[in-house]
Amino acid sequence: MITNLGGFKMSQHKQIRIALNNCGVIDPENIKEYIARDGYVALGKCLTEMKPQDVINEIKESGLRGRGGGGFPTGLKWEIASKNHADQKYVVCNADEGDPGAFMDRSILEGDPHAVLEAMAICGYSMGATKGLVYIRAEYPLAIKRLKVAIEQAREYGLLGKKLFETDFDFDIELRYGAGAFVCGEETSLIHSMEGLRGEPTIKPPYPAEKGYLGKPTNVNNVETYANIPIILRKGASWFNKIGTEKSKGTKVFALAGKVKNVGLVEVPMGTTLREVIYEIGGGIENDKKFKAVQTGGPSGGCLTEKHLDTPIDFDNLLAAGSMMGSGGMIVMDEDNCMVSVAKFYLDFTVEESCGKCSPCRIGNKRLYELLDRITQGKGELSDLQRLRNMSLVIKDTSLCGLGQTSPNPVLSTLDNFYDEYLAHVTDKKCPSGECKDLMTYFVIEENCVGCTACARVCPVGAITGEKKEVHYINPEICIKCGACEERCKFDAIIVK
Amino acid sequence: MNKVKLTIDDKQIEVEKGTTIYKAAKQLEIEIPVLCYMNLEGLNIENKPGGCRICVVEVEGRNNLAPSCSTEVWDGMVVHTHTMRVINARRTVMEFILSDHPKDCLTCAKSGNCDLQNMAVKLGIREIPGQEYAEMSKYKTDFSPSIIRELDKCIMCRRCEMMCNDFQTVGALSAFHRGFQAAVGPAFEMDIEDSPCTYCGQCVAVCPTGALTEKDHTRDVINALSDPTKKVIVQTAPAVRAALGEEFGMEPGTLVTGKMVSALRRLGFDYVFDTDFAADLTIMEEGTELLDRLTKFLAGDKKVKLPILTSCCPAWVSFFEHNFPEMKDIPSTARSPQQMFGAIAKTYFADKISTKREDLVVVSIMPCLAKKYEAQRDEFKVNGNPDVDFSISTRELAHLIKEANLDLNKLPDEDFDKPLGESSGAAVIFGTTGGVIEAAVRTAYELHTGIKLDKLDFEQLRGFEAIRKATVDFDGTPINIGIAHGLGNARKLLEEIKAGKSEFHAIEIMSCPGGCIGGGGQPTHHGDSSILKARAKAIYAEDAGKPIRKSHENPYIIKLYEEFLGKPMSEKAHHLLHTCYFDKSRKIEID
Amino acid sequence: MTKIKTLADLERIKNELRSELDLESGLLNSENAVKIKVGMGTSGIASGAKDVMDFLIEALEKRNIEAIVSQTGDMGYSYAEPTIEVQKPGKDPVVFGDVDIKKADLIIEKYIKLGEELQGVIPVNYQTIDN
Ligand SMILES: Cc1cc2nc3c(=O)[nH]c(=O)nc-3n(C[C@H](O)[C@H](O)[C@H](O)COP(=O)(O)O)c2cc1C
Ligand code: SF4
Ligand code: SF4
Ligand code: SF4
Ligand code: SF4
Ligand code: SF4
Ligand code: FES
C-alpha cells in the first residue's frame, strides 16, 4: 500500500546549489556542522597559502559578479579597494534585501551564516581590512539571531578575532541594523545609514571603495555574492567559471513567486532559460492557466513575455530584453493579470520607497502612478500613453540613484510588450483581463434570465430592476460592482465584462 | 596640479582635475541652468546635493544624463549641454517640480526674487500637464517671531540644511519624511520655535523659493505710521545702506545712506535716526568692559574671565545660550545696538520730546532676522512695552518704499535727525565682519594708552577668511584678537576657550557670512559672494569718509553721558544698556 | 575551547563532530539512528515547523525510535512548508513537504517504522557540488 501524502510533481535536476550549498542541510547554529562541510578551509588556505593579490586574482578569474543587482565584477571591486590605502578599511555585507518578495539573502543568513562570515574575512584579508559590518534589516530577527550565534562561535573557535590561523591578520565582524527602507540597500545610502545619517544616496564617484564608511575605503557586497566565495576558493576559479554563460559565471538564486505551482527558492546556473525555471522547476502555471508575463529584477525590473521564455538568464540578456537581474525576484503572471495594474503595483512600491532626494524620482514617480491609476479607472486618454513614456524615459535619464533610474522599467516594458492592453484601457475603457474593477460592467444575459428576482433582492444599492418572471436589467450608473448578484444567480445569467 | 582636457558643446577646454562640468562650462561662458546648486565662492559655502536634476547634460559614452553641478570632468570627456534630449529632460523635470508647487506667486514674499519662478520663465513653462489631478504634498505652515516656513513651497534643494548644519553648526534643520512627503525642517517636525534655531536667517537668505521667509511686519509699520496718536521713530542699521540700492537696480556696493534717509522721511517717520549712534554707545560700554576686565586680568585677578566676546549679534547670543550655556558669563553684557537704541529712545529721547513711552513707536530697519526675535525678548520690555516695537528687514523696507511709489534712484540725499542720528565711522563698520572689534580697538586703545592713534585702518582685522587672528600692540601690551563669522567658525573658537587653549583677549563673533552685510534680511545674493564683498567695501568707504571715526569722539554720545547716563558702566547704563543671558540648552528636549 | 590555528585543526573538528553527535544522542553509533532535519527558516517557522519539530522529538522518544532531530535552514520549497528531511540508516534522504503533526505522525508510523513507501515526497531537484 502506498499512502498518499499529497502530490508533488517530479522536477528535473536543473538546479545547482552553490550559494545555497549548506542551506537546509546543516544546523546553522552549530559551527561544527559548517566545519564538517569544509567550512573555514578556504579562509585557512587564503591566510596560510595565498597572498592577498592571489585571492583577488582567483576571484577575478572565477568571473563572479555581484548578486545584489548591479552585476559588478567582484574581484575587480576587491582589487580597487585593496589599492586604496588607508589606516582603516571596512568590509560591508549588504543584507538589507528590500525587494518585496525576495528572501534569498535571509535564507542564506538563516541557513548558512558562517559562509558569509568566512567570505567577509577572506575579503578583509585580500583588501587589507580588519573590520567587517553586516547591515541587516531589523525585520529579520531570526537571521540576526543566527548571525549573532555564528559570530560568537567563530570568535570562540578563533576564526574571528586576532591573529587568525596564527598569522598577523585580525578580523572581526559587527552587526548594524537597518529600518527596512528599500533605498538603504543602495550602497551609498546604506553607508550613510550606518553612519547615523539620513539613509539617502549620494552621487558616485566617490565610490565606497574610495570613500565609504566613515570616509574610509569600503567594500560592499551582497549576501549571496559572499556566499559564493568560500566555495570558489575551495574548488578553484576554473571549476566555478565552467558554470554559467560567457559573461555571467556561476549560479543565481531566484525567489520564484506568483502564479506558478512550485514557488520557492531556486538556484540555477546562469544560462538556464526562463522557460526551464518556470515550467520545469516551477512546475508551470497554477491551475493550468495561460502564461502571460514574468517580472524579474524586483520592483524595478521589467515584464518579459512569451517571446523571452527561451532567453538564457544572465545579467546582459535580461538587460537587453528590457528587464534586469536585480536581486533575483521572479514573479510569474497569468492571463488574469492586468499589465497596467501590474505596472501600477510596482510604481506604488517605488513611490513609497523613494527617499525624496531628487525631483524626478520624488515627484515624477508619483505622477507616473497617478496617470496609471487614472488609466485603470478608465479616465486615461490616448495622449496619456505618450506622456507615460516620456515621463518614464526622463525619470530614468535624470534620477540620482538606481531606484529612480530603474523605477519606470515596469511601465516601459509593459508599454512595449502589452501596448494593446493599454490601448484597450484608454480607448475602449476596457480591461481585457478583467482586473480593473472600475472598467467592469455587470450584464444580464437575457437568454439565461428566468426572472427569479434573486439578484434584485441581494443588490445593496438597488441597481437591478425587472418584473417577476421577466428579464432583469442592471443599471450600470448605479451598480457599484460588488458582484453580489453574480454570486446569487443560479442560472449563470449574470456576467461581468 | 593635474590638468584634464575636455570638449563642451564643440569647444575645447583644459581645466584642473576635480572641476565639475558646470564650472568648466562656466569658464567657456556656457551657462547651464542650476537650481539646487549654490556656491558662495571664497566663503567655503557650497551646496551640491545633486537633487533638483535641472542641470543635467549629455555626456558621450554615459547611459543617462549627468548632473553637471556635481559631476567631475575626465580627460577626453565630450559634453553636450543643450541637446533636445537635455532640453526635454530639463523641461519635464521642471514640470514635475512645478506640479508639486503652489501657484501662489501673486502673494508670495519671494515673487520677483524667486529662483524657481525665474527658472520657470527661463525654461518657458506654459502649462503643467496633469495638474488637474496631481496631488500636492501638504504641510502645516510654521510661524515664529522671525521666520515663517511654508513647506508647501519647498523644492528640497537642501540649501537651508547645508547653511544651518554645515556653516552654522546649529543643526536645527534636516530632511524628514521620505519620497513625495519629504521636506526639510527641525527634527521630529518640531516648530522652529522649539528647536535650537538661532534665527540667524541664513536658511532664509539662501532658500530659492518662498518656503522660508521672514515674518513680515510692514503691515504693522503702516498701521503705526497711519496712527496720528503715535510718534514713530526709525533707526537704520549700518549694513542696510550698503545693500538697499540693489533692490532698486543699483550696483552692489552702492551706498544709499542719504537717499534712504529721505525715503524714510517721505514714508512719514517722525524721526529718522541711526542705529550707528547706538553702535557708538555699544563701543563705549563694551570697550570699557573690555578694558576693565583686561586691566584686572593683567593685574593678576584670577576671577576675571578672558577672552571677552562681543554680544551685538542676537543669533550668536542664542547660539551660546543653547550650545554653551556654561560659558554665558564670558560674552560682554552689552546689549546690541538695536536694543541700546530702543532703550535710549524710550527714556532719554522720550523725555526730550515729552512723550510717554506708550505713545512712541520704535521701528528698526535691520539686515537681520534675529533682531525680530531679539526685539520681543522679555528682557527688553518695560511693563510689556518693548523698547523696539517692530524690526523690519532691508527687503521689507524696499517693499515699503516701492509701495509708496518712491524711486530711490531719484531721491535727494538727506541727513539723519539729531541727536540720535549722529555717528562715527567706527559705528558704520559694525556692518561687516571684523568691524565691531576694529571700532572697539580704536576706542580702547586711546582710552587705555592715552595716545592718539595716527592710523585708524586696522587692515589685519579685515577680510573674509573664516577665522582671523591679529595682535594689536597697546603701547607695549600685546592684545590678541580673534574674529569669526559664521557660527560654525565661532564654535571652533568656543571649543578652544572651553578647553582652556584660547590665546585671545577679545573675540568678535558675527553669525552671518561677511557679518551683517550678509544678513538674513538683506536683498538676496542668489549665491554670488562678490555681492557681499562689494557691500563690505562700501561700508569701509563710508567709514573713511566720515569726519569722526572713533566712537568716543561722537559729540552726541559725550552729551548723552553728560546729560543722562553719567559714565560708561554706571548704574544707569547697566540698567538700560546691559543684559544677562539664559541657559536655553534644555529647550530642545521634547515630550 | 581550543582555538583553531591550522587547517589540521579544522580536520580534527570535522571528526570530533561525528563522535560528539553520538554522545549527544546517547547512542552507541549514530549510523544506526534515523536523522531528521526540520527546515527552520523564517517561512518554515511561520508555517509551523517548530511544532512539528517538538512533536517529532517527543513522539520518537516515546515510541523508542533512535533518532537525531535537528534544525536546519530554508530548503527552498516555499510551496510546501514546513519541510522535513528524513534519512533512515543506509538510505538516501527523503524530503517531505506540508508536514503538520498529523503528517509527521504518519511519517513515523508508515515510513520510519514500517518502511512503507510514501507517495508525494518532494523529489530532490538539484545537484550538490560535493565531489
Ligand atoms: C534602490 C536600490 C536598492 C538596493 N538594494 C539592495 C539590497 O537590498 N541588497 C543588496 O545586496 N544590494 C542592493 N542594491 C545594490 C547595492 O547598491 C550594491 O550595488 C550591492 O550591494 C553591491 O554588492 P554586489 O556587488 O555584491 O552585488 C540596491 C541598489 C539600489 C539602487
Ligand atoms: S532616485 Fe529616488 S531614491 Fe534615488 S536619490 Fe533620487 S529620490 Fe532618492
Ligand atoms: S516660491 Fe516662487 S514660484 Fe513659488 S509661489 Fe513663490 S514666487 Fe511663485
Ligand atoms: S535661522 Fe539660522 S539657525 Fe535657524 S534654522 Fe535657519 S539657518 Fe538654522
Ligand atoms: S526650505 Fe527652501 S532652502 Fe530649504 S530645502 Fe526647501 S526650498 Fe530649499
Ligand atoms: S551677523 Fe548681523 S545680520 Fe547676521 S544675525 Fe548677527 S546681527 Fe543679524
Ligand atoms: S543644480 Fe545640479 S542637481 Fe540641482
Side-chain angles (χ1 to χ4, degrees):
Chain A
M1 197 198 79
I2 293 180
T3 312
N4 195 340
L5 289 181
F8 299 109
K9 264 250 194 83
M10 191 60 162
S11 61
Q12 293 160 23
H13 287 221
K14 293 287 177 187
Q15 301 196 57
I16 302 180
R17 293 203 163 173
I18 297 177
L20 298 178
N21 181 35
N22 290 328
C23 250
V25 177
I26 64 167
D27 178 352
E29 293 185 28
N30 185 349
I31 188 172
K32 289 189 189 172
E33 292 205 17
Y34 181 66
I35 293 172
R37 304 259 294 177
D38 291 329
Y40 290 105
V41 167
L43 178 62
K45 228 169 81 175
C46 287
L47 294 188
T48 55
E49 293 165 14
M50 297 167 84
K51 287 208 253 322
Q53 189 59 42
D54 299 338
V55 179
I56 290 170
N57 289 344
E58 193 74 12
I59 301 298
K60 276 169 85 176
E61 203 193 315
S62 77
L64 177 67
R65 291 170 66 174
R67 304 296 194 235
F72 191 84
T74 306
L76 189 59
K77 201 187 251 188
W78 290 17
E79 185 162 51
I80 297 168
S82 79
K83 289 197 172 138
N84 287 317
H85 298 288
D87 51 348
Q88 181 70 56
K89 299 185 191 181
Y90 295 93
V91 175
V92 172
C93 172
N94 186 343
D96 188 58
E97 197 163 61
D99 283 18
F103 58 101
M104 55 289 277
D105 293 347
R106 188 191 71 201
S107 298
I108 291 171
L109 292 172
E110 286 174 1
D112 194 13
H114 286 286
V116 174
L117 304 184
E118 182 181 2
M120 288 174 73
I122 293 171
C123 174
Y125 174 67
S126 79
M127 67 182 271
T130 56
K131 284 203 178 132
L133 297 158
V134 181
Y135 183 86
I136 182 163
R137 50 175 47 220
E139 293 99 320
Y140 279 2
L142 186 63
I144 290 171
K145 176 183 162 228
R146 294 204 173 141
L147 266 172
K148 280 185 177 161
V149 171
I151 291 172
E152 254 339 288
Q153 291 180 349
R155 283 182 190 149
E156 260 175 48
Y157 277 73
L159 295 164
L160 283 178
K162 301 236 172 275
K163 299 206 176 302
L164 306 186
F165 286 91
E166 293 198 302
T167 65
D168 282 336
F169 177 63
D170 303 339
F171 195 78
D172 211 341
I173 295 176
E174 284 173 32
L175 303 188
R176 290 293 147 85
Y177 307 106
F182 176 57
V183 73
C184 285
E186 195 281 337
E187 53 193 4
T188 59
S189 190
L190 178 150
I191 287 169
H192 296 140
S193 171
M194 291 201 306
E195 291 167 340
L197 303 172
R198 179 176 161 90
E200 62 180 20
T202 39
I203 287 169
K204 294 183 277 190
Y207 290 92
E210 308 154 49
K211 262 180 110 177
Y213 183 61
L214 304 178
K216 305 290 181 190
T218 302
N219 180 71
V220 183
N221 274 127
N222 165 260
V223 172
E224 188 186 333
T225 313
Y226 282 125
N228 279 285
I229 299 289
I231 299 177
I232 291 174
L233 288 163
R234 242 165 40 223
K235 301 189 79 97
S238 53
W239 169 82
F240 187 82
N241 67 25
K242 284 200 189 69
I243 306 165
T245 63
E246 197 198 328
K247 287 193 176 150
S248 303
K249 299 299 181 192
T251 59
K252 177 76 192 90
V253 182
F254 289 96
L256 189 57
K259 307 276 182 69
V260 66
K261 283 179 187 151
N262 302 341
V263 297
L265 281 188
V266 305
E267 179 170 355
V268 292
M270 299 279 188
T272 309
T273 65
L274 285 165
R275 188 186 300 283
E276 287 170 313
V277 173
I278 295 168
Y279 285 92
E280 294 177 26
I281 299 170
I285 309 300
E286 241 182 2
N287 303 321
D288 295 316
K289 293 241 180 183
K290 203 165 157 284
F291 166 84
K292 186 170 191 176
V294 55
Q295 150 97 13
T296 70
S300 38
C303 289
L304 303 178
T305 62
E306 192 78 37
K307 67 173 189 270
H308 302 110
L309 276 181
D310 293 309
T311 309
I313 302 169
D314 70 8
F315 287 106
D316 311 287
N317 286 343
L318 286 180
L319 218 52
S323 184
M324 58 190 231
M325 186 74 92
S327 60
M330 191 179 280
I331 300 175
V332 178
M333 285 157 243
D334 70 7
E335 53 194 297
D336 293 341
N337 288 107
C338 161
M339 298 315 283
V340 184
S341 303
V342 165
K344 189 176 107 178
F345 170 83
Y346 286 113
L347 253 299
D348 190 28
F349 176 83
T350 350
V351 167
E352 279 301 307
E353 294 298 329
S354 160
C355 80
K357 183 167 182 176
C358 70
S359 21
C361 172
R362 178 179 73 247
I363 311 169
N365 281 323
K366 177 89 178 169
R367 301 298 173 237
L368 267 188
Y369 174 83
E370 286 169 346
L371 198 47
L372 288 166
D373 192 40
R374 283 175 65 81
I375 293 174
T376 60
Q377 291 172 16
K379 295 182 189 154
E381 286 160 31
L382 192 55
S383 63
D384 286 342
L385 301 188
Q386 170 55 32
R387 254 186 75 215
L388 265 187
R389 183 178 295 277
N390 182 56
M391 289 199 287
S392 297
L393 290 172
V394 170
I395 294 168
K396 268 177 84 92
D397 226 4
T398 56
S399 285
L400 192 158
C401 87
L403 194 150
Q405 285 160 12
T406 54
S407 59
N409 283 347
V411 182
L412 287 170
S413 68
T414 49
L415 269 174
D416 284 344
N417 296 322
F418 301 94
Y419 192 70
D420 290 345
E421 244 181 276
Y422 277 91
L423 269 186
H425 282 77
V426 296
T427 54
D428 310 337
K429 312 288 180 204
K430 287 275 172 241
C431 173
S433 58
E435 197 182 330
C436 298
K437 223 179 161 195
D438 289 324
L439 298 185
M440 299 187 306
T441 338
Y442 282 82
F443 284 108
V444 173
I445 304 176
E446 300 195 2
E447 303 89 83
N448 292 2
C449 178
V450 298
C452 74
T453 76
C455 56
R457 273 179 279 132
V458 79
C459 176
V461 290
I464 308 180
T465 50
E467 293 298 316
K468 244 186 185 169
K469 306 218 167 135
E470 272 173 31
V471 171
H472 280 50
Y473 165 74
I474 304 175
N475 185 342
E477 305 281 304
I478 305 177
C479 170
I480 55 163
K481 294 150 190 171
C482 69
C485 54
E486 187 195 20
E487 220 169 86
R488 181 58 65 91
C489 180
K490 294 192 187 110
F491 307 95
D492 288 338
I494 294 177
I495 60 158
V496 53
K497 248 171 92 180
Chain B
M1 249 301 158
N2 260 331
K3 290 278 185 183
V4 173
K5 274 202 184 105
L6 73 155
T7 312
I8 306 178
D9 295 346
D10 302 324
K11 293 188 192 116
Q12 312 253 324
I13 186 168
E14 197 177 62
V15 294
E16 262 168 32
K17 201 168 169 240
T19 309
T20 59
I21 299 176
Y22 172 77
K23 285 185 182 160
K26 203 162 188 177
Q27 289 183 31
L28 284 169
E29 295 184 348
I30 297 169
E31 196 62 40
I32 302 172
V34 289
L35 190 52
C36 66
Y37 180 71
M38 187 193 78
N39 182 20
L40 276 172
E41 237 167 289
L43 284 163
N44 202 15
I45 299 175
E46 192 173 26
N47 184 57
K48 50 172 183 180
C52 73
R53 317 305 275 188
I54 286 293
C55 68
V56 288
V57 295
E58 212 170 323
V59 175
E60 285 185 13
R62 182 178 159 135
N63 279 335
N64 57 354
L65 299 177
S68 59
C69 69
S70 40
T71 307
E72 291 181 4
V73 299
W74 66 71
D75 206 39
M77 188 186 237
V78 182
V79 180
H80 304 281
T81 64
H82 285 80
T83 60
M84 267 309 136
R85 178 176 164 206
V86 168
I87 288 171
N88 175 46
R90 245 176 233 154
R91 190 187 268 223
T92 307
V93 169
M94 191 62 187
E95 288 166 358
F96 287 152
I97 296 174
L98 295 182
S99 74
D100 186 30
H101 191 87
K103 318 294 178 287
D104 280 356
C105 297
L106 278 177
T107 52
C108 183
K110 269 285 162 58
S111 194
N113 241 323
C114 171
D115 291 350
L116 185 66
Q117 198 182 45
N118 292 343
M119 188 62 68
V121 171
K122 186 168 191 158
L123 299 184
I125 309 289
R126 289 291 169 273
E127 132 187 75
I128 296 149
Q131 185 67 79
E132 322 81 73
Y133 51 82
E135 186 192 325
M136 308 264 256
S137 44
K138 285 264 167 251
Y139 312 87
K140 74 170 192 299
T141 301
D142 174 17
F143 300 90
S144 76
S146 293
I147 293 170
I148 297 180
R149 294 162 60 238
E150 246 180 287
L151 291 190
D152 290 358
K153 292 178 186 164
C154 172
I155 58 168
M156 283 294 278
C157 72
R158 317 292 282 273
R159 290 184 191 178
C160 56
E161 201 183 337
M162 179 277 299
M163 274 321 246
C164 192
N165 299 348
D166 300 350
F167 183 69
Q168 301 293 45
T169 66
V170 169
L173 301 176
S174 54
F176 60 82
H177 291 335
R178 312 188 64 78
F180 192 62
Q181 280 304 324
V184 176
F188 314 109
E189 288 187 76
M190 271 189 289
D191 286 346
I192 198 97
E193 230 185 316
D194 302 324
S195 79
C197 168
T198 65
Y199 299 124
C200 74
Q202 282 309 311
C203 51
V204 176
V206 298
C207 181
T209 72
L212 297 175
T213 52
E214 67 270 21
K215 171 141 176 58
D216 192 295
H217 285 293
T218 51
R219 200 356 116 190
D220 302 305
V221 171
I222 289 173
N223 289 348
L225 288 170
S226 354
D227 185 342
T229 68
K230 304 281 186 202
K231 288 244 174 298
V232 190
I233 300 178
V234 66
Q235 52 161 322
T236 66
V240 177
R241 64 206 64 180
L244 181 65
E246 292 163 29
E247 289 278 351
F248 297 86
M250 299 179 205
E251 275 300 303
T254 311
L255 273 172
V256 294
T257 320
K259 296 184 190 311
M260 173 182 71
V261 171
S262 66
L264 289 166
R265 222 163 253 143
R266 278 161 182 72
L267 280 171
F269 288 99
D270 298 299
Y271 300 94
V272 181
F273 288 145
D274 199 350
T275 314
D276 288 14
F277 173 83
D280 279 333
L281 194 53
T282 303
I283 289 305
M284 297 308 292
E285 293 296 325
E286 205 172 272
T288 309
E289 196 184 348
L290 165 70
L291 281 180
D292 182 51
R293 281 208 224 171
L294 199 62
T295 322
K296 287 182 183 153
F297 179 81
L298 294 176
D301 186 339
K302 290 277 179 286
K303 279 190 303 222
V304 170
K305 298 217 171 137
L306 280 182
I308 187 169
L309 307 171
T310 58
S311 58
C312 42
C313 168
W316 149 236
V317 168
S318 293
F319 182 75
F320 72 71
E321 285 183 325
H322 279 293
N323 298 286
F324 296 89
E326 70 279 11
M327 289 160 74
K328 66 183 160 47
D329 54 344
I330 302 185
S332 159
T333 55
R335 295 183 187 182
S336 74
Q338 162 176 279
Q339 292 310 136
M340 286 201 182
F341 182 96
I344 293 299
K346 287 205 176 174
T347 53
Y348 174 69
F349 184 68
D351 287 349
K352 271 201 184 292
I353 57 168
S354 314
T355 308
K356 286 200 299 240
R357 90 176 267 133
E358 291 73 34
D359 295 331
L360 268 186
V361 175
V362 174
V363 174
S364 67
I365 316 290
M366 293 285 143
C368 178
L369 301 189
K371 299 263 167 57
K372 288 176 185 280
Y373 150 78
E374 183 189 38
Q376 51 113 73
R377 282 181 77 135
D378 287 337
E379 306 93 276
F380 305 134
K381 287 180 183 160
V382 175
N383 299 327
N385 178 286
D387 291 346
V388 175
D389 293 84
F390 305 112
S391 177
I392 67 170
S393 66
T394 313
R395 292 190 296 268
E396 287 166 86
L397 174 62
H399 286 145
L400 277 176
I401 296 174
K402 288 177 191 165
E403 195 176 351
N405 195 30
L406 299 168
D407 183 355
L408 198 73
N409 290 281
K410 297 199 182 121
L411 289 176
D413 286 342
E414 293 181 5
D415 274 337
F416 287 107
D417 292 318
K418 306 258 176 311
L420 309 185
E422 184 63 75
S423 68
S424 73
V428 175
I429 56 174
F430 262 58
T432 177
T433 169
V436 177
I437 208 78
E438 182 170 338
V441 165
R442 287 183 195 173
T443 290
Y445 182 92
E446 294 198 352
L447 296 186
H448 182 71
T449 63
I451 307 169
K452 248 188 156 18
L453 279 166
D454 44 34
K455 197 177 158 294
L456 289 177
D457 297 334
F458 288 84
E459 291 296 340
Q460 70 269 45
L461 301 175
R462 301 182 179 182
F464 264 47
E465 297 94 281
I467 294 175
R468 304 191 293 287
K469 306 174 181 194
T471 301
V472 181
D473 180 10
F474 270 41
D475 193 31
T477 315
I479 301 297
N480 297 333
I481 288 169
I483 297 166
H485 54 137
L487 295 170
N489 299 321
R491 183 185 286 277
K492 289 183 198 145
L493 295 185
L494 279 175
E495 297 289 359
E496 268 180 31
I497 300 173
K498 205 169 160 181
K501 287 192 203 133
S502 183
E503 47 181 307
F504 298 116
H505 298 102
I507 297 178
E508 176 204 290
I509 289 172
M510 286 291 163
S511 300
C512 297
C516 299
I517 48 152
Q522 295 281 57
T524 33
H525 52 61
H526 297 280
D528 184 351
S529 56
S530 70
I531 294 180
L532 302 187
K533 287 177 186 150
R535 290 176 191 165
K537 224 170 130 192
I539 293 263
Y540 286 118
E542 171 130 324
D543 164 41
K546 281 265 191 181
I548 302 169
R549 294 184 63 197
K550 288 172 273 184
S551 300
H552 57 285
E553 290 177 358
N554 180 339
Y556 289 88
I557 290 286
I558 298 170
K559 203 165 143 203
L560 174 67
Y561 279 106
E562 281 169 6
E563 288 181 5
F564 187 64
L565 292 170
K567 57 182 182 30
M569 307 263 288
S570 68
E571 205 183 308
K572 194 160 201 173
H574 246 290
H575 178 62
L576 288 174
L577 307 179
H578 290 257
T579 185
C580 56
Y581 306 114
F582 300 90
D583 179 351
K584 294 202 178 142
S585 57
R586 305 184 62 80
K587 221 185 150 193
I588 18 179
E589 271 177 30
I590 55 152
D591 35 39
Chain C
M1 180 56 52
T2 49
K3 304 241 169 194
I4 289 170
K5 293 183 173 146
T6 61
L7 285 167
D9 289 346
L10 282 174
E11 192 61 31
R12 184 172 49 72
I13 301 271
K14 222 169 141 173
N15 298 327
E16 221 177 81
L17 178 68
R18 190 156 295 134
S19 43
E20 215 173 87
L21 266 181
D22 295 348
L23 270 179
E24 266 172 27
S25 54
L27 307 169
L28 277 178
N29 188 348
S30 65
E31 295 299 307
N32 288 334
V34 182
K35 292 196 193 102
I36 300 181
K37 292 175 185 167
V38 185
M40 296 257 273
T42 293
S43 48
I45 292 175
S47 52
K50 229 187 175 115
D51 292 342
V52 173
M53 180 149 169
D54 292 345
F55 170 81
L56 283 171
I57 294 171
E58 215 187 289
L60 289 163
E61 163 120 44
K62 269 196 199 144
R63 298 174 204 183
N64 275 325
I65 298 166
E66 290 184 4
I68 303 169
V69 183
S70 61
Q71 64 169 351
T72 185
D74 196 321
M75 298 186 193
Y77 312 107
S78 304
Y79 59 97
E81 298 274 18
T83 45
I84 69 171
E85 185 192 278
V86 182
Q87 186 177 19
K88 303 219 319 179
K91 297 225 167 160
D92 281 342
V94 176
V95 178
F96 296 92
D98 288 333
V99 183
D100 51 12
I101 291 177
K102 218 170 113 202
K103 196 157 169 182
D105 184 54
L106 269 181
I107 291 168
I108 299 176
E109 292 303 319
K110 303 277 183 191
Y111 178 70
I112 298 179
K113 274 197 185 162
L114 305 177
E116 277 181 20
E117 281 206 24
L118 293 182
Q119 208 186 42
V121 301
I122 302 179
V124 176
N125 66 350
Y126 59 88
Q127 269 169 262
T128 55
I129 53 152
D130 307 314
N131 63 54

